[in-house]
Amino acid sequence: MSAPQRVGTAADLSPGKVVGVGRYAVGNANGRYFAVTRKCRHLGADLAGGNIDENGCLVCPWHHSAYDVGTGRMVRGPQGNYAKVPGLDFLYRMLTRVLPLGRKPVTERDGELYLGS
């Protein structure tokens, strides 16, 4: 088992912010810290470049798919021209029921955030 990986200070990860830490996108969704694997299930965009929407979901920077950060499941499929493809949204949402984004706990100790326990 590996040692917890430092993310940074809690003050630096304000609500709505997402950063990349190794293979994880780490963020603050309305005061709840999360870490999910960085690659979007659609075309592999780096989710660390995404943002948090009003529902606390992580939104892909490329095609605006949205992920529930608690489960790793896609809750909205690719948007733009991709949204016009019949069944594509359903396909990706079902894919992430079987293969959700990986998740890792984020812990806070003395104002510092760490991946792992």
Side-chain angles (χ1 to χ4, degrees):
M1 185 172 206
S2 62
Q5 183 176 6
R6 184 177 182 276
V7 172
T9 67
D12 288 339
L13 197 62
S14 57
K17 188 170 181 179
V18 182
V19 298
V21 179
R23 60 185 291 252
Y24 291 91
V26 181
N28 182 337
N30 303 320
R32 186 177 84 186
Y33 300 113
F34 68 87
V36 296
T37 47
R38 288 174 78 153
K39 289 196 179 231
C40 179
R41 292 287 191 236
H42 177 224
L43 289 175
D46 185 356
L47 295 172
N51 60 39
I52 307 298
D53 70 11
E54 64 278 354
N55 299 313
C57 293
L58 176 59
V59 178
C60 174
W62 287 0
H63 301 116
H64 308 287
S65 297
Y67 291 90
D68 178 314
V69 296
T71 65
R73 291 180 176 173
M74 187 182 284
V75 294
R76 183 184 66 226
Q79 300 299 291
N81 288 334
Y82 292 101
K84 298 174 186 173
V85 178
L88 188 64
D89 178 68
F90 177 79
L91 172 74
Y92 277 104
R93 286 185 291 116
M94 291 304 105
L95 170 68
T96 63
R97 282 185 175 267
V98 177
L99 295 170
L101 296 174
R103 295 167 313 286
K104 198 166 201 179
V106 177
T107 56
E108 181 178 359
R109 289 191 305 265
D110 300 322
E112 298 285 327
L113 299 175
Y114 297 90
L115 285 181
S117 48

